[in-house]
Amino acid sequence: MPPRLNPTLRQRRIGAELRKMREAAGLQTVNLSRALGIDRTQVSQMESGKIGVSPERLRSFAAACKCANMPLVEALESMVQDRSKGWWEEYRGSLPDGILENAELEKRSNGLMMWLLTHMPGPCQTINYASSVFGRVFPPLPRHELEARTAFRMQRKADLRRNPKPLTAFIYESVLWTRFGGTQILKEQLGSLLEDSELPWMTIRVVPFDVETFPGAAENLAYAFGSVPELDTVERELSQGPEYLDAVNELASYRYIFERTESVALSESGSRDLIRKIARDL
């Protein structure tokens, strides 16, 4: 089969983990290709996600790299065997791949933590608020794309409610005051956020202005928990699209950022009190 032109997030992650195995073993591509009895180009294509990996080849790869982390190998084997297509595939070609990968990351994670500095958490946005957030993009999006992005956001929200998983959102107070679409839309959004904060699987905590120096990063973040810690992923929201991080040192750094954020955020009840106060003051 010819190499894939656009590997999915899952396919790229499998390849990245294979590369980490090889590098941890101190093997060059040529050495590993000899041990596996394949061309070195195939090794490079597996590591970039451009060609598939069978469960048998995965285990041969791990054995050649002397990888003794069996929980990781078994988790990767499950990823390799999962050939199911997500609901987001129906939007492929009409929305940027980075937006589709947001949904894929959410769907395949075991839980999520978020740090929001500019807008409400995606899983909590109302349709009017979401449309207003996308409507702020400059240059303006064509109407059909604005409507497609809004519909996609709502489908992500609905899917997470059908199949809930632990979600914690840390929200900087400025987000609660930012009036995307105007005061009435923000009031509606704050009311919806309060309702979401009562869901048993969702935790909403606000980082207030009176924290001397907030410890969060300077961009919106999502930390997705994998089936094993090695498969955790950080998504950074950048103006040109999402960036996905999975290096061991990067994951440790962002876990620390979230730990510090948790230490200064208001409690759940304190956060609800502040949200109610802002809604009244608008």
Side-chain angles (χ1 to χ4, degrees):
M1 292 180 65
R4 302 171 178 129
L5 295 178
N6 296 298
T8 65
L9 183 64
R10 178 186 65 86
Q11 292 162 347
R12 296 200 309 272
R13 184 57 184 273
I14 292 169
E17 293 303 317
L18 294 178
R19 187 191 70 251
K20 290 177 190 176
M21 276 188 202
R22 176 179 60 77
E23 292 175 346
L27 294 173
Q28 298 294 321
T29 304
V30 63
N31 305 126
L32 184 58
S33 67
R34 288 172 184 161
L36 296 175
I38 61 177
D39 186 86
R40 62 188 297 180
T41 302
Q42 287 180 275
V43 174
S44 297
Q45 290 176 332
M46 283 191 290
E47 292 181 358
S48 63
K50 291 185 176 179
I51 60 174
V53 182
S54 67
E56 295 76 18
R57 178 55 55 81
L58 169 66
R59 290 191 173 268
S60 296
F61 199 108
C65 295
K66 295 182 170 52
C67 177
N69 188 342
M70 294 314 298
L72 173 60
V73 174
E74 290 168 1
L76 288 171
E77 187 172 4
S78 294
M79 290 176 68
V80 165
Q81 292 173 325
D82 182 6
R83 304 298 178 102
S84 61
K85 287 188 177 294
W87 61 264
W88 52 88
E89 291 297 334
E90 66 186 82
Y91 288 88
R92 195 167 297 280
S94 59
L95 290 177
D97 287 349
I99 291 179
L100 307 188
E101 290 172 349
N102 292 153
E104 183 180 357
L105 184 65
E106 285 178 2
K107 184 69 172 179
R108 300 192 189 282
S109 71
N110 284 8
L112 296 160
M113 283 194 305
M114 298 180 172
W115 162 244
L116 288 309
L117 190 62
T118 60
H119 55 68
M120 297 287 180
C124 300
Q125 292 181 10
T126 65
I127 188 169
N128 290 327
Y129 184 92
S131 180
S132 299
V133 169
F134 291 128
R136 86 193 196 289
V137 174
F138 187 84
L141 296 170
R143 175 167 292 278
H144 72 276
E145 186 171 347
L146 174 62
E147 292 174 351
R149 290 193 185 206
T150 303
F152 186 80
R153 171 73 78 192
M154 293 300 102
Q155 195 162 342
R156 279 174 60 189
K157 178 177 178 177
D159 184 69
L160 191 57
R161 279 158 170 71
R162 283 192 299 269
N163 305 284
K165 59 191 64 179
L167 187 155
T168 298
F170 297 102
I171 306 173
Y172 193 46
E173 184 178 345
S174 61
V175 172
L176 306 178
W177 290 98
T178 304
R179 308 184 192 205
F180 289 112
T183 300
Q184 195 55 44
I185 286 177
L186 179 56
K187 280 188 173 183
E188 175 191 51
Q189 175 63 73
L190 292 176
S192 179
L193 185 65
L194 284 169
E195 292 176 5
D196 286 344
S197 72
E198 301 285 357
L199 294 172
W201 50 274
M202 189 178 294
T203 300
I204 303 295
R205 295 183 61 186
V206 177
V207 177
F209 284 143
D210 58 12
V211 171
E212 290 185 1
T213 302
F214 71 78
E219 61 275 305
N220 297 326
L221 300 173
Y223 191 106
F225 293 93
S227 53
V228 294
E230 293 85 352
L231 294 178
D232 290 356
T233 305
V234 169
E235 178 210 336
R236 293 199 306 182
E237 185 180 304
L238 305 176
S239 58
Q240 63 270 32
E243 177 184 28
Y244 298 99
L245 309 173
D246 55 49
V248 173
N249 62 328
E250 291 171 328
L251 293 175
S253 175
Y254 282 102
R255 279 196 294 269
Y256 179 64
I257 286 174
F258 275 103
E259 287 171 6
R260 290 185 61 203
T261 303
E262 184 175 21
S263 71
V264 300
L266 296 174
S267 66
E268 290 184 71
S269 60
S271 296
R272 280 192 282 269
D273 288 343
L274 180 57
I275 294 168
R276 291 190 189 99
K277 181 180 183 303
I278 292 173
R280 289 194 302 268
D281 291 346
L282 284 174

